[in-house]
Amino acid sequence: MLRWMIKSLFMEPLTLVVAIASAASAFLLIILFEGIFAGESEQIVAYVRNVKADVWVMQRGVSNMHMATSYIPDWKVRQVRELPGVAGVEAILYLNTVVEVGDQRWFSYVVGLEVPSNYAGPWAMAQGKAQPSVGEAVVPEVFADMTRLGIGDTLRVTDRELTIVGLSKETFSMANSVIFVNKIDLEDIMSSFDIASFMLVKSGPDVSPTELVGAIEDAVEKVHALTASQFLQNDRRLAMQMGTETIALMTTIGAALAILLVAFTIYSQVMRQRRELSVAKALGATNRSLYISVALQAVGITLASVIVASITAAALLPALSNFIPAVTMILTVASVAKIAILGLFVAITAALLSARQIARLDPASAFQT
Amino acid sequence: MSDFEFRIAGISEGAAAYFTPFGFVNFDDLLDFYFESELAEDLSTFPMLSFLLVDLESDANKADVAQRIEEAVPSADVFEPEALADRDAALGRITLGPIFGMMIGVAYVVGILVTAIIMFAAVNGRRHNLGVMKALGFSNRYLLRLVVIEALLLTAVAIPAGVLFAIIIALLIQSVAPLYLILPTEAVPLIRTTLACGVFAIIGSLLPVRIIFRLDPAMVFRS
Amino acid sequence: MKEKVVLQAENLVKTFGSGHTEVRAVDDVSLSLKQGELVLVMGPSGSGKTTMLSILGGLLRPTSGQVFIDGTNISALSESKLPMIRARSVGFIFQAFNLLDALTVEENILFPARLIRGGQKEAAVRAADLIERLKLGPRRTALPQTLSGGEKQRVAIARALINAPPLILADEPTGNLDSTSGQEVMMILHDIARDEGRSIILVTHDPRVEDVADRILWLEDGALRDRKAEKHAWVRDPVCGMRVDEWTAQLSSTYEGQSYHFCAQRCLERFEEEPTRYVKCSPGEQDRTASSGAIN
């Protein structure tokens, strides 16, 4: 029975290919979206992930960087710097704002650096210098490509024109690009002087980051200190949280589409084969055995679709990332596993939808010419 | 918020947005926040206001007033509400455009493949009828044209059904997750999608062309 | 060998529709079939032959009546039990062959065997034997689309025999075959009944088959009656000239002491309006055809 069902599927190879391709596209939609979400979420936390701080200190009540506002007076920076166990402190000023390039506008995270900075600035450069002086900016390479800017061109942060002196790598995402400017410029833009947003603290050799967190909060009032891993976790969680519902929505739509496509394929297959299925019933095949065989057909088609979608995604995602550098995409094992489980659900549902069709086949019609 | 506790006194409608929900607090509380945070000893040096929302007298001319404000406060920019909203919307489109553009592209590929599979099944199931038509003298091109027209007619019926379905799903999503505003009947995207579906219909109906061209009209004599 | 009753049908009635649209497709049919018997069922189109065959094979439930196959009352069985009865006890041979396109000759033959748990090795041996006996060896791995009509029907016969059922039901097995292939198939069926002791009910219009049948039954308007095994008594309808079997004719009229038989009510009415127009023979004689069925 199973052999017959599988061979029947291959009787019309073109139909089978189109059916698998369509269902695979529906799964690809889900994988792509998950890949984009995973990639962009990682990019959102790229700054926190890559700068080499052990402890982050911020205004009390703040616990992440993404879309947060934090102000700490400069004198608290000095306080932390003088604490035992602190090997170094770099303070940054931080602003979510829109950056203008010609008539284009881009949402960005502007990080004001105290220059020279050892570890709070860009961690990888494509071109130019990494430490912006007053009146200068370091922008993501991808951002520069998209806006057709280069070293020596200018961009506008609020009402301030800054000259591009460096192109950084791994600092661009659609939701936020990280632009580095001199802290003095940002203080001027914000009209806020002698303040910082975050302190990036290095712990000494004999102090663990956790111990340092406790020491800082004990010594300095109205600040919140977190180890780098905790801070990163908070940021990542927030970024993921923003997309969870959308992901669920897209996954549901993709799954529904896949169910419809597989169900239609199975329905067409049963319709095409209804005479043969009637004959099989006449010869003694039970409804149950036919249901199982059709269900296995559905599983086969869905499995093939999942495999095609996964392979296509694995090949496509890096290519798409090169072609559309603005979008960061990551193919995760979790998303492929998710698709596989979803695929099983799709197959079973699609097969169930054809059960009534099979039950209604009349074995006596085998005698009709 | 930022280490300050606020008691919820009211729940607004329409102020939620995907990335930027709006919460409203009393301005005095904001002053307290600044005092508490020790950010500035002298508040006169600290920026206290983000935006000024200006109401005009009934006979005032917007453009004139805007110019006068800009002359009086050179460090400020003045926008009419619609212009500001447009700028924000444009920013949203730039930010999310490539992502959703890519997904819509994949969805378009799905659309073509779905149309193809449906037309393939339709033609396959009617091989005998089409064979009879060939025997009676209809050309391959004519039969292909028939199939394309059928696909376009199916699409014409499917589009309003699809729009209706989209409206229902949008209402459902918005009732379950009111954060999302879904506008399936916006004119430009709707027209674009309709045209795209027409193209899908034509491309998809070309898939069974091989079946049509290889149909043997002599089959009419076989049972 | 011929004493065991393999099939017993009692007072079978099958109606379709209701009220004034009700059609009695099978009207109080009773028959029994002994082991090794080859029974022919003949009758005009629409007489209920296929319906009767479907009921006997457990494909259709009768409106009333019972069917026993090898002592089992299949009419009393639930729907879920019937497939196994069909797989084990009934072999079907269809006019349209109904081979499964995706399977090879050998796979088609083995298909019913796979419906029964266990015994796959024995089935494979039986399949090999059937393939040889029915001269399908060179076509073992061919797909149905590449077979001739005769080959397809031989595959169908082999498939019907694979589970060694006591009963074979064949509906117009030669209907789609040329005369040589048709004769070949008939002889195979005859040999199966005679040599293997399988009981066969054969529905056909083919008069040549009468020569090999043990019994001939005539089904018309759902009712069954025995046909004499002797040759036909064909007479001509005086109005349209069509030949009519004198023994089974339903429409008759007498004119000047002579009986005339008609194929249809219309012919009867025309005759009765103007008998002299149609009576060409001398009184006492109606044109009789030769009993072999040939019409002059």
Coordinates of all heavy atoms in Angstrom, one line a residue, chain A residues 117-192:
Chain A
S117 N 39.7 56.3 23.5 CA 38.9 55.2 24.2 C 39.6 53.9 23.8 O 40.0 53.6 22.7 CB 37.5 55.2 23.6 OG 36.8 54.0 23.9
N118 N 39.7 53.1 24.9 CA 40.4 51.8 24.7 C 39.4 50.7 24.3 O 39.8 49.8 23.5 CB 41.1 51.3 26.0 CG 42.3 52.2 26.3 OD1 43.0 52.6 25.4 ND2 42.5 52.5 27.6
Y119 N 38.2 50.7 24.8 CA 37.4 49.6 24.6 C 35.9 50.0 24.4 O 35.1 49.1 24.2 CB 37.5 48.5 25.6 CG 37.3 49.0 27.1 CD1 36.0 49.1 27.6 CD2 38.4 49.3 27.8 CE1 35.9 49.6 28.9 CE2 38.3 49.7 29.1 CZ 37.0 49.9 29.7 OH 36.9 50.3 31.0
A120 N 35.6 51.3 24.5 CA 34.2 51.6 24.3 C 33.8 52.0 22.9 O 32.7 52.2 22.6 CB 33.8 52.8 25.3
G121 N 34.8 52.1 22.0 CA 34.6 52.5 20.7 C 34.4 51.3 19.7 O 34.2 50.2 20.2
P122 N 34.5 51.6 18.4 CA 34.3 50.5 17.4 C 35.3 49.4 17.6 O 36.5 49.6 17.9 CB 34.5 51.2 16.1 CG 34.6 52.6 16.3 CD 34.8 52.8 17.8
W123 N 34.9 48.1 17.5 CA 35.8 47.0 17.7 C 36.4 46.4 16.4 O 37.3 45.6 16.4 CB 35.1 45.9 18.5 CG 33.8 45.5 17.8 CD1 33.6 44.5 16.9 CD2 32.5 46.1 18.0 NE1 32.3 44.5 16.5 CE2 31.6 45.5 17.2 CE3 32.0 47.2 18.8 CZ2 30.2 45.8 17.1 CZ3 30.7 47.6 18.7 CH2 29.8 46.9 17.9
A124 N 35.8 46.9 15.3 CA 36.3 46.4 14.0 C 36.1 47.5 13.0 O 35.0 48.1 12.9 CB 35.6 45.2 13.5
M125 N 37.2 47.8 12.2 CA 37.1 49.0 11.3 C 37.3 48.5 9.9 O 38.1 47.6 9.6 CB 38.2 50.0 11.6 CG 38.0 50.7 12.9 SD 36.5 51.7 13.0 CE 36.8 53.0 11.8
A126 N 36.5 49.1 8.9 CA 36.7 48.8 7.5 C 37.7 49.9 6.9 O 38.4 49.6 6.0 CB 35.4 48.8 6.8
Q127 N 37.6 51.1 7.4 CA 38.3 52.2 6.8 C 38.4 53.3 7.8 O 37.6 53.5 8.6 CB 37.5 52.7 5.6 CG 38.4 52.8 4.3 CD 37.5 53.4 3.2 OE1 36.4 53.0 3.0 NE2 38.0 54.4 2.5
G128 N 39.5 54.1 7.7 CA 39.6 55.3 8.4 C 40.0 55.1 9.9 O 40.4 54.1 10.3
K129 N 39.7 56.2 10.7 CA 40.1 56.1 12.1 C 38.9 55.8 13.0 O 37.7 56.1 12.6 CB 40.8 57.5 12.5 CG 39.9 58.7 12.5 CD 40.8 59.9 12.8 CE 40.0 60.9 13.6 NZ 40.7 62.1 13.9
A130 N 39.2 55.2 14.1 CA 38.2 54.7 15.0 C 37.8 55.7 16.1 O 36.8 55.5 16.8 CB 38.7 53.4 15.6
Q131 N 38.7 56.7 16.3 CA 38.4 57.6 17.4 C 38.1 58.9 16.9 O 38.9 59.7 16.4 CB 39.7 57.7 18.3 CG 40.3 56.4 18.7 CD 39.8 55.9 20.0 OE1 39.3 56.6 20.8 NE2 39.8 54.6 20.2
P132 N 36.8 59.3 17.0 CA 36.4 60.6 16.4 C 36.8 61.8 17.2 O 36.5 61.8 18.4 CB 34.8 60.4 16.3 CG 34.5 59.5 17.4 CD 35.7 58.6 17.6
S133 N 37.3 62.7 16.6 CA 37.6 64.0 17.4 C 36.4 64.8 17.3 O 35.4 64.5 16.7 CB 38.8 64.7 16.7 OG 39.9 63.9 16.6
V134 N 36.4 66.0 17.9 CA 35.3 67.0 17.8 C 35.0 67.3 16.4 O 35.8 67.5 15.6 CB 35.6 68.2 18.6 CG1 34.5 69.3 18.5 CG2 35.8 67.9 20.1
G135 N 33.7 67.2 16.1 CA 33.2 67.5 14.7 C 33.3 66.3 13.8 O 33.1 66.4 12.6
E136 N 33.7 65.2 14.3 CA 33.9 64.0 13.5 C 32.9 62.8 13.9 O 32.4 62.8 15.0 CB 35.3 63.5 13.6 CG 36.3 64.5 13.0 CD 37.8 64.0 13.1 OE1 38.0 63.0 13.9 OE2 38.6 64.6 12.5
A137 N 32.7 61.9 13.0 CA 31.9 60.7 13.3 C 32.4 59.5 12.6 O 33.1 59.6 11.6 CB 30.4 61.0 12.8
V138 N 32.2 58.3 13.3 CA 32.5 57.0 12.7 C 31.2 56.3 12.5 O 30.4 56.2 13.4 CB 33.4 56.2 13.6 CG1 33.7 54.8 13.1 CG2 34.7 56.9 13.9
V139 N 30.9 56.0 11.2 CA 29.6 55.4 10.9 C 29.8 53.9 10.4 O 30.9 53.6 10.0 CB 28.9 56.2 9.8 CG1 28.8 57.7 10.2 CG2 29.6 56.1 8.5
P140 N 28.7 53.1 10.5 CA 28.8 51.8 10.0 C 29.1 51.7 8.5 O 28.5 52.6 7.7 CB 27.5 51.1 10.3 CG 26.9 52.0 11.4 CD 27.5 53.4 11.1
E141 N 29.9 50.8 8.0 CA 30.3 50.7 6.6 C 29.0 50.5 5.8 O 28.8 51.0 4.7 CB 31.2 49.5 6.5 CG 31.7 49.2 5.1 CD 32.4 47.9 5.0 OE1 32.3 47.0 5.9 OE2 33.1 47.7 4.0
V142 N 28.1 49.6 6.3 CA 26.8 49.3 5.5 C 26.0 50.6 5.4 O 25.4 50.8 4.3 CB 26.0 48.2 6.3 CG1 24.7 48.0 5.6 CG2 26.8 46.9 6.3
F143 N 26.0 51.3 6.4 CA 25.2 52.6 6.4 C 25.8 53.5 5.4 O 25.1 54.2 4.6 CB 25.3 53.2 7.8 CG 24.7 54.6 8.0 CD1 23.3 54.7 8.2 CD2 25.4 55.7 7.8 CE1 22.7 56.0 8.3 CE2 24.9 57.0 7.9 CZ 23.5 57.1 8.2
A144 N 27.1 53.6 5.3 CA 27.8 54.5 4.3 C 27.5 54.0 2.9 O 27.2 54.8 2.0 CB 29.3 54.4 4.6
D145 N 27.5 52.7 2.7 CA 27.2 52.1 1.4 C 25.8 52.5 1.0 O 25.5 52.9 -0.2 CB 27.3 50.6 1.4 CG 28.7 50.1 1.3 OD1 29.6 51.0 1.0 OD2 29.0 49.0 1.7
M146 N 24.8 52.3 1.9 CA 23.4 52.6 1.6 C 23.2 54.1 1.3 O 22.3 54.4 0.5 CB 22.5 52.1 2.7 CG 22.4 50.6 2.8 SD 21.7 50.0 4.3 CE 20.1 50.7 4.2
T147 N 23.9 54.9 2.0 CA 23.6 56.3 1.8 C 24.6 57.0 0.9 O 24.7 58.2 0.7 CB 23.7 57.0 3.2 OG1 24.9 56.7 3.8 CG2 22.5 56.6 4.1
R148 N 25.5 56.1 0.3 CA 26.5 56.6 -0.7 C 27.4 57.6 -0.1 O 27.7 58.7 -0.7 CB 25.9 57.1 -1.9 CG 25.1 56.0 -2.7 CD 24.8 56.5 -4.1 NE 23.4 56.2 -4.5 CZ 22.9 55.1 -4.7 NH1 23.6 54.0 -4.7 NH2 21.6 55.0 -5.1
L149 N 27.8 57.3 1.2 CA 28.7 58.3 1.8 C 30.1 57.6 1.9 O 30.3 56.4 1.8 CB 28.3 58.5 3.3 CG 27.0 59.3 3.5 CD1 26.7 59.4 5.0 CD2 27.1 60.7 2.9
G150 N 31.1 58.5 2.1 CA 32.5 58.0 2.2 C 33.2 58.9 3.2 O 32.7 59.9 3.8
I151 N 34.4 58.5 3.4 CA 35.3 59.3 4.3 C 35.3 60.8 3.8 O 35.5 60.9 2.6 CB 36.7 58.8 4.4 CG1 36.7 57.3 4.7 CG2 37.6 59.6 5.3 CD1 36.7 56.9 6.2
G152 N 35.1 61.7 4.6 CA 35.2 63.1 4.2 C 33.8 63.7 4.0 O 33.6 64.9 4.0
D153 N 32.8 62.8 3.8 CA 31.4 63.4 3.6 C 30.9 63.8 5.0 O 31.4 63.4 6.0 CB 30.5 62.3 3.0 CG 30.9 62.1 1.5 OD1 31.2 63.1 0.9 OD2 30.8 60.9 1.1
T154 N 29.7 64.4 5.0 CA 29.1 64.9 6.3 C 27.8 64.3 6.5 O 27.1 63.9 5.5 CB 29.0 66.4 6.3 OG1 28.2 66.8 5.2 CG2 30.4 67.1 6.3
L155 N 27.4 64.2 7.7 CA 26.0 63.8 8.1 C 25.6 64.8 9.2 O 26.4 65.5 9.8 CB 25.9 62.4 8.5 CG 26.8 61.8 9.5 CD1 26.4 62.2 10.9 CD2 26.8 60.3 9.4
R156 N 24.3 64.7 9.5 CA 23.7 65.7 10.4 C 23.1 64.9 11.6 O 22.3 64.0 11.4 CB 22.6 66.4 9.8 CG 22.6 67.9 9.9 CD 21.4 68.4 9.1 NE 20.9 69.6 9.7 CZ 21.5 70.8 9.8 NH1 22.7 70.9 9.2 NH2 21.0 71.8 10.4
V157 N 23.5 65.2 12.8 CA 22.9 64.7 14.0 C 22.2 65.9 14.7 O 22.9 66.8 15.1 CB 24.0 64.1 15.0 CG1 23.3 63.6 16.2 CG2 24.8 63.0 14.3
T158 N 20.9 65.8 14.7 CA 20.0 66.9 15.1 C 20.5 68.1 14.2 O 20.4 68.1 13.0 CB 20.0 67.2 16.6 OG1 21.4 67.6 17.0 CG2 19.6 66.0 17.4
D159 N 21.0 69.2 14.8 CA 21.4 70.3 14.0 C 22.9 70.4 13.8 O 23.4 71.5 13.4 CB 20.9 71.6 14.7 CG 21.5 71.8 16.1 OD1 22.1 70.9 16.6 OD2 21.2 72.9 16.7
R160 N 23.6 69.4 14.1 CA 25.1 69.4 14.1 C 25.6 68.6 12.9 O 25.2 67.5 12.7 CB 25.6 68.8 15.4 CG 27.1 68.9 15.5 CD 27.6 70.3 15.7 NE 26.8 71.0 16.7 CZ 27.2 71.1 18.0 NH1 28.3 70.5 18.4 NH2 26.4 71.7 18.9
E161 N 26.4 69.3 12.1 CA 27.0 68.6 10.9 C 28.4 68.0 11.4 O 29.2 68.7 12.0 CB 27.3 69.5 9.8 CG 26.1 69.6 8.9 CD 26.4 69.9 7.4 OE1 27.6 69.9 7.1 OE2 25.5 70.1 6.7
L162 N 28.5 66.7 11.1 CA 29.8 66.0 11.5 C 30.4 65.4 10.2 O 29.7 65.0 9.3 CB 29.5 64.9 12.5 CG 28.8 65.4 13.8 CD1 28.3 64.2 14.6 CD2 29.8 66.2 14.7
T163 N 31.7 65.4 10.3 CA 32.5 64.8 9.1 C 32.8 63.3 9.4 O 33.3 63.0 10.5 CB 33.8 65.6 8.9 OG1 33.4 67.0 8.7 CG2 34.5 65.1 7.6
I164 N 32.6 62.5 8.4 CA 32.9 61.1 8.5 C 34.4 60.8 8.4 O 35.0 61.2 7.4 CB 32.1 60.3 7.5 CG1 30.6 60.4 7.7 CG2 32.5 58.8 7.6 CD1 29.7 59.9 6.6
V165 N 34.9 60.2 9.4 CA 36.4 59.9 9.4 C 36.7 58.4 9.5 O 37.8 58.0 9.3 CB 37.1 60.7 10.6 CG1 37.0 62.2 10.4 CG2 36.5 60.2 11.9
G166 N 35.7 57.6 9.7 CA 35.9 56.2 9.8 C 34.7 55.4 9.5 O 33.5 55.9 9.7
L167 N 34.9 54.2 8.9 CA 33.8 53.3 8.6 C 34.0 52.0 9.5 O 35.0 51.3 9.3 CB 33.7 52.9 7.2 CG 33.6 54.1 6.2 CD1 33.6 53.6 4.7 CD2 32.4 55.0 6.4
S168 N 33.0 51.8 10.4 CA 33.1 50.6 11.3 C 32.4 49.4 10.7 O 31.5 49.5 9.9 CB 32.6 51.0 12.7 OG 31.2 51.3 12.5
K169 N 32.8 48.2 11.2 CA 32.2 47.0 10.8 C 31.3 46.5 11.9 O 31.6 46.7 13.1 CB 33.3 45.9 10.4 CG 34.0 46.3 9.2 CD 35.3 45.5 9.0 CE 35.1 44.3 8.0 NZ 36.3 43.7 7.6
E170 N 30.3 45.7 11.6 CA 29.4 45.0 12.5 C 28.7 45.9 13.4 O 28.3 45.5 14.5 CB 30.3 44.0 13.4 CG 31.0 42.9 12.6 CD 32.0 42.2 13.4 OE1 31.9 42.2 14.7 OE2 32.9 41.6 12.9
T171 N 28.4 47.1 13.0 CA 27.7 48.1 13.8 C 26.4 48.5 13.2 O 25.8 49.5 13.6 CB 28.6 49.3 14.1 OG1 29.1 49.7 12.8 CG2 29.7 49.0 15.1
F172 N 25.9 47.8 12.2 CA 24.7 48.3 11.5 C 23.6 47.3 11.8 O 23.8 46.1 11.7 CB 24.9 48.4 10.0 CG 23.7 48.9 9.3 CD1 23.4 50.3 9.2 CD2 22.8 48.0 8.7 CE1 22.3 50.7 8.6 CE2 21.6 48.5 8.1 CZ 21.4 49.8 8.0
S173 N 22.4 47.7 12.1 CA 21.1 46.9 11.9 C 20.0 47.8 11.5 O 20.1 49.1 11.6 CB 20.8 46.2 13.3 OG 20.0 47.0 14.1
M174 N 19.0 47.3 11.0 CA 17.9 48.1 10.5 C 17.2 48.9 11.6 O 16.8 50.0 11.5 CB 16.8 47.2 9.8 CG 17.2 46.6 8.5 SD 17.8 47.9 7.4 CE 16.4 48.9 7.2
A175 N 17.2 48.3 12.8 CA 16.6 48.9 14.0 C 17.5 50.0 14.6 O 17.0 50.9 15.2 CB 16.1 47.9 15.0
N176 N 18.8 49.8 14.5 CA 19.7 50.8 15.1 C 21.1 50.6 14.4 O 21.6 49.5 14.2 CB 19.9 50.6 16.6 CG 20.6 49.3 16.9 OD1 20.5 48.3 16.3 ND2 21.4 49.4 18.0
S177 N 21.6 51.8 14.0 CA 23.0 51.8 13.6 C 23.7 52.5 14.7 O 23.2 53.4 15.3 CB 23.2 52.6 12.3 OG 22.2 52.3 11.4
V178 N 25.0 52.0 15.0 CA 25.7 52.7 16.0 C 26.7 53.7 15.4 O 27.6 53.3 14.6 CB 26.5 51.7 16.9 CG1 27.2 52.4 18.0 CG2 25.6 50.6 17.4
I179 N 26.5 54.9 15.7 CA 27.4 56.0 15.2 C 28.2 56.5 16.3 O 27.7 56.9 17.4 CB 26.6 57.1 14.5 CG1 25.9 56.5 13.2 CG2 27.4 58.3 14.2 CD1 25.0 57.4 12.5
F180 N 29.5 56.6 16.2 CA 30.4 57.1 17.2 C 30.8 58.5 16.9 O 31.2 58.8 15.8 CB 31.7 56.2 17.3 CG 31.4 54.8 17.7 CD1 31.2 53.8 16.7 CD2 31.3 54.4 19.0 CE1 31.0 52.5 17.0 CE2 31.0 53.1 19.4 CZ 30.9 52.1 18.4
V181 N 30.6 59.3 18.0 CA 31.0 60.7 17.9 C 31.8 61.0 19.1 O 31.9 60.2 20.0 CB 29.8 61.7 17.8 CG1 28.9 61.3 16.6 CG2 29.0 61.7 19.0
N182 N 32.4 62.2 19.2 CA 33.1 62.6 20.3 C 32.1 63.1 21.4 O 31.1 63.7 21.1 CB 34.1 63.8 20.0 CG 35.1 64.0 21.1 OD1 34.7 64.6 22.1 ND2 36.3 63.6 20.8
K183 N 32.4 62.7 22.7 CA 31.5 63.0 23.8 C 31.2 64.5 23.9 O 30.1 64.9 24.2 CB 32.0 62.5 25.1 CG 31.1 62.5 26.2 CD 31.6 61.6 27.3 CE 30.7 61.7 28.6 NZ 31.0 62.8 29.4
I184 N 32.1 65.3 23.6 CA 32.0 66.7 23.7 C 30.9 67.2 22.7 O 30.0 68.0 23.0 CB 33.3 67.5 23.4 CG1 34.3 67.1 24.5 CG2 33.1 69.0 23.3 CD1 35.7 67.6 24.2
D185 N 30.9 66.6 21.5 CA 29.9 67.0 20.5 C 28.5 66.6 21.0 O 27.5 67.4 20.9 CB 30.2 66.3 19.2 CG 31.2 67.0 18.3 OD1 31.1 68.3 18.3 OD2 32.0 66.3 17.7
L186 N 28.4 65.4 21.6 CA 27.1 64.9 22.0 C 26.6 65.7 23.2 O 25.4 66.0 23.2 CB 27.2 63.4 22.3 CG 25.8 62.7 22.3 CD1 25.1 62.9 21.0 CD2 26.1 61.2 22.5
E187 N 27.5 66.1 24.1 CA 27.0 66.9 25.2 C 26.5 68.2 24.7 O 25.4 68.7 25.1 CB 28.2 67.2 26.1 CG 28.6 66.1 27.0 CD 29.9 66.4 27.8 OE1 30.6 67.3 27.5 OE2 30.1 65.7 28.8
D188 N 27.1 68.8 23.7 CA 26.7 70.0 23.1 C 25.3 69.9 22.4 O 24.4 70.7 22.6 CB 27.7 70.5 22.1 CG 27.7 72.0 21.9 OD1 27.3 72.7 22.8 OD2 28.1 72.4 20.8
I189 N 25.2 68.8 21.6 CA 23.9 68.5 20.9 C 22.8 68.4 21.9 O 21.7 68.9 21.8 CB 24.0 67.2 20.1 CG1 24.9 67.4 18.9 CG2 22.7 66.7 19.7 CD1 25.4 66.2 18.2
M190 N 23.1 67.7 23.1 CA 22.0 67.4 24.1 C 21.9 68.5 25.1 O 21.0 68.5 25.9 CB 22.4 66.1 24.8 CG 22.3 64.9 23.9 SD 23.0 63.4 24.7 CE 21.9 63.1 26.1
S191 N 22.8 69.5 24.9 CA 22.9 70.6 26.0 C 22.9 70.0 27.4 O 22.3 70.5 28.3 CB 21.7 71.5 25.8 OG 21.6 72.1 24.6
S192 N 23.6 68.9 27.5 CA 23.8 68.3 28.8 C 25.3 68.1 29.1 O 25.9 67.3 28.4 CB 23.1 66.9 28.8 OG 21.8 67.1 28.5

